[in-house]
Amino acid sequence: MGRAAEMLGVTPAFLRSLDATKLIVPQRSPGGHRRYSRYQLRLAQRARDLVDQGTPLEAACRIIILEDQLAEAQRINAQLQRDRQHT
């Protein structure tokens, strides 16, 4: 966690708060250390950017979740349209 926090320029407490809001739930090593994926680090960076712009943490997490859901829905829609064109 310390290395991830250092990479993002945040405190470990900030990363723990993202875990508490369920924005990112890191894997755990056998020793109990948090392990973050690159995708989770990108989400954490986005949250930090929104918080730095004055967005409350919980609102920033909700925004990121909604943006992620929208992107996934758009991806599925595009795939369905491609599939439809080929039938």
Side-chain angles (χ1 to χ4, degrees):
M1 172 184 281
R3 183 166 181 228
E6 184 179 309
M7 288 171 47
L8 296 172
V10 299
T11 63
F14 181 80
L15 290 177
R16 282 192 295 277
S17 68
L18 296 180
D19 192 356
T21 63
K22 304 293 186 223
L23 177 64
I24 55 175
V25 180
Q27 297 291 319
R28 297 284 184 148
S29 71
H33 298 283
R34 289 175 173 88
R35 303 281 183 184
Y36 297 95
S37 69
R38 289 181 184 171
Y39 175 72
Q40 289 173 326
L41 292 175
R42 283 194 303 272
L43 291 179
Q45 182 62 55
R46 178 75 176 122
R48 178 183 178 229
D49 293 344
L50 287 170
V51 169
D52 286 351
Q53 294 170 15
T55 306
L57 180 64
E58 288 188 16
C61 292
R62 186 70 181 138
I63 289 167
I64 293 165
I65 290 167
L66 290 171
E67 287 175 341
D68 198 49
Q69 289 173 341
L70 176 59
E72 179 65 9
Q74 289 172 328
R75 187 194 64 74
I76 291 168
N77 188 37
Q79 182 62 49
L80 290 172
Q81 288 180 0
R82 283 190 298 274
D83 292 349
R84 192 175 182 192
Q85 290 173 353
H86 292 106
T87 55

